[in-house]
Each structure stands twice: as structure tokens, then as C-alpha cells.
Amino acid sequence: MLIMNRVTKLLKIQYPIIQGAMQEVATADLAASVSNGGGLGIIAAGGKTAEEVREQIKKAQSITDKPFGVNLMLMAKNVPEIVKVIIDEHVPVVTTGAGTPKNYMPDLKAAGIKVIPVIPNVKIAKKMEEMGADAVIAEGMEGGGHIGDTTSIVLWPQIADAINIPLIAAGGIADGRGVVNAFVSGAEGVQCGTIFSIAKESPVGDNWRNAVISANDTSTVVVGKTIRDASRAIKNSMTDHLAELEDRKVSRDEFNDAMNSGLQKAVSQDDASDGVIFSGEVAGLISSSKSAAEIVTDLVSNANKILDNLPKAVTN
Ligand SMILES: Cc1cc2nc3c(=O)[nH]c(=O)nc-3n(C[C@H](O)[C@H](O)[C@H](O)COP(=O)(O)O)c2cc1C
């Protein structure tokens, strides 16, 4: 059922399944493995120098000849240098988060790069369409990492009604049911983060993996909302500390620095209590770590099974 559509044609991929950018986690190995599995892998540029991004791109190109993308965290100061690297290295797709890609859109488009902003609401989706975005990724507040205010189930259909470019749905998808929900809501592709964070090719350690696998429906918490930096992670002593910083009304930069170093600690030291494990509420649905390619094919085949059985489920 999920075969060729506008998203697979736009991105030149087999399945409309995208691995969301994940700062510190979405490395060349993970992204290239997702692309080899028929989806679109994304390298996260957040927290990296332009030269580190170039190395990651070259590494991914050595693992796959399939398309993959790079995500720009627009809050970062070195975005102009990273954009140059992306253009130099002929990366075909860029996703953007945490700001407007306006200043970079002309150069990226002139280089033939597909630009797909991650957006949290209808107003910004429309703005991105007017600005020339090729598609948007609408992410509900169930998702892991930086989030907006609206839940996926009400966000996706409202975005689908408001724009003509393709909608890619994100936030809360980790199995075939989530994929079908997204398509029923008007999406033509899905982006998943949390489930790929514990793929076999992900750099996270056993403590991170176990934290996701043992999570239930209420294991995550949102911190930073009152300082315009709302982010979802698995509740632990580090998210308690971030909540204290927020209560003390530290600046957004100070909060963000603490969160980013916590994320780095969670990945590089596998510290699951004093590190930040960005994860979505969907962690409660995830019970094992699989290879990236297996995640992609399971999402597609389970969605197809559900669609095949839907008439029976509705009439019985
Ligand atoms: C560990 C982690 C790090 C993330 N870092 C980024 C990032 O650097 N840039 C970005 O645009 N989104 C980031 N996200 C969001 C994901 O790309 C994706 O949109 C989100 O995880 C989807 O929701 P889900 O977690 O319910 O699958 C991150 C998510 C996670 C879990």
C-alpha cells in the first residue's frame, strides 16, 4: 500500500519513512543504515562544527549510495558554514528546526536541495510553503526533543488542510498503527525519532537503550516550556535539575547549554540519570532494539497489514 507517493518521489526513496535528526545520536552510521533500508536517514548537525558535519557526510557517503539528509538546528551560530558544507558535498535533502530557514533558502534551493522544515503549527506551515519549502514535517508535542504545543492527532489533519505541499507526520510514531494514523490524517510520509534512537546502529549505550525499552506511557517529561525551549526527555535527576533551572528563570541560552551538555553526557558516557535522554511519549510502546533497516521494513509491513485488515476491523 505504502509505495510511490509525492514524498518517495521528492526524496527518491523506496518507503516514505524518515529517521528524524537527533543531536548527538543521528550519526553517519545510523543515517546511512536507514537509507540503505529504503527510508531517508538524516545526520544531525546540531552541536557539531562545519568540519565535523563534512566528515559525517563523507562517512555516510562511504556507507550508502542512497540519498540521505542533514538537519540544521537554526539556533546554532555556525549555520552559514554548515550550509556551505552541505552544498559543497551535494547533500540532496535538508531538514530544519528551531527557527526560520529564510536566510538559507535561496542558496539551498539554487543548489537543487530539497528543504523540509520541521514545524509545530498551521501558521508556520503556511509560511514555510510560501517561502518555497518542498514539504513540511509537522511534529506533535508527544515527540522527543524540542517540541511545540499541539498534539499530533489534532495537528496533522489541520496542517494537511492548510497546505498543498506534502505533509510528513512526526511525534508519537513507532509502529504500523502510528504510520496508518498519520496517513489517515493526510500525511504522505512519517518521521520517527525515539524508535531510531535505540536502533542497533545508534551510538547510544545500554543504559539509554534500557531507559527507552523500560519506559511506560508516563515516563517522559517536558522541561523548558516557560523559557521557549520546551523539550521532552525521560524523567530522571537531570530533568529535575533542568526544571529547577527553569524555575530560577535562567536565560534560554544557559538552559539550552545545560540541556545540550546533558544530552552529550547521556550519549558519550551512557549516563542515564545525570544525562538528558530525549525521548517521546511513544517510548512506552518500544520493547526492543532492532537494526535501522528492520525498523523501516517493520513500520511499512505492519502498516500494510493493518490497512489490509481494516475493512474487517470496521465491520466486525
Ligand atoms: C534523542 C533525540 C534528539 C533529537 N534531536 C533533534 C535535532 O537535533 N533536530 C531536530 O530537528 N529534531 C530533533 N529531535 C526530534 C526528532 O527528529 C523527531 O522529530 C521526533 O523524535 C519525532 O517524535 P518521536 O520521538 O515520537 O518519534 C530529536 C529527538 C530525539 C529523540
Side-chain angles (χ1 to χ4, degrees), residues 4-294:
M4 290 291 280
N5 66 17
R6 287 198 295 172
V7 167
T8 57
K9 282 184 203 146
L10 178 73
L11 304 176
K12 300 190 171 64
I13 54 177
Q14 191 178 356
Y15 305 119
I17 309 283
I18 295 161
Q19 162 252 308
M22 292 177 277
Q23 188 163 334
E24 307 292 334
V25 176
T27 54
D29 289 296
L30 178 61
S33 304
V34 173
S35 293
N36 276 337
L40 185 82
I42 307 271
I43 293 170
K48 292 200 163 17
T49 65
E51 277 319 298
E52 285 167 343
V53 174
R54 191 190 301 278
E55 281 162 27
Q56 288 288 304
I57 293 169
K58 285 190 176 299
K59 187 167 186 204
Q61 285 166 340
S62 74
I63 305 172
T64 186
D65 54 7
K66 303 253 166 55
F68 61 85
V70 171
N71 171 257
L72 290 172
M73 280 304 265
L74 296 164
M75 267 165 89
K77 294 187 180 68
N78 61 348
V79 173
E81 290 98 283
I82 296 176
V83 166
K84 279 201 198 99
V85 167
I86 288 170
I87 293 171
D88 265 10
E89 301 297 337
H90 307 289
V91 173
V93 183
V94 163
T95 64
T96 65
T100 170
K102 190 174 170 191
N103 293 342
Y104 311 105
M105 200 65 118
D107 286 352
L108 291 169
K109 300 290 293 188
I113 295 170
K114 309 293 180 222
V115 182
I116 310 183
V118 179
I119 53 95
N121 62 40
V122 169
K123 189 176 164 191
I124 300 180
K126 284 179 154 170
K127 219 176 177 174
M128 292 302 124
E129 181 172 42
E130 277 164 26
M131 205 181 276
D134 294 280
V136 293
I137 298 168
E139 185 183 26
M141 53 87 80
E142 299 88 329
H146 295 267
I147 50 169
D149 292 325
T150 311
T151 60
S152 292
I153 200 155
V154 290
L155 178 66
W156 298 335
Q158 293 187 65
I159 303 274
D161 286 350
I163 57 170
N164 294 308
I165 53 175
L167 160 65
I168 296 163
I173 302 168
D175 67 12
R177 292 170 295 185
V179 175
V180 173
N181 278 340
F183 276 70
V184 169
S185 299
E188 293 173 68
V190 300
Q191 169 167 295
C192 304
T194 302
I195 191 165
F196 283 113
S197 76
I198 62 157
K200 294 261 193 282
E201 298 85 348
S202 159
V204 306
D206 287 346
N207 293 333
W208 178 308
R209 281 170 210 280
N210 291 337
V212 173
I213 288 169
S214 62
N216 63 27
D217 54 338
T218 58
S219 296
T220 67
V221 65
V222 177
V223 289
K225 188 164 175 173
T226 58
I227 43 177
R228 295 180 299 113
D229 206 11
S231 307
R232 187 181 294 283
I234 290 189
K235 190 168 166 42
N236 60 10
S237 50
M238 184 59 186
T239 57
D240 290 347
H241 172 64
L242 290 170
E244 273 166 38
L245 291 182
E246 189 180 355
D247 287 346
R248 290 205 330 250
K249 303 203 181 330
V250 299
S251 70
R252 191 181 185 212
D253 281 351
E254 188 180 333
F255 182 84
N256 209 257
D257 285 349
M259 196 159 60
N260 284 341
S261 56
L263 179 59
Q264 205 172 26
K265 194 171 181 184
V267 178
S268 64
Q269 296 173 32
D270 198 19
D271 188 332
S273 56
D274 289 328
V276 174
I277 302 181
F278 276 162
S279 284
E281 289 180 314
V282 80
L285 265 186
I286 299 171
S287 56
S288 64
S289 168
K290 304 177 200 166
S291 73
E294 222 179 323

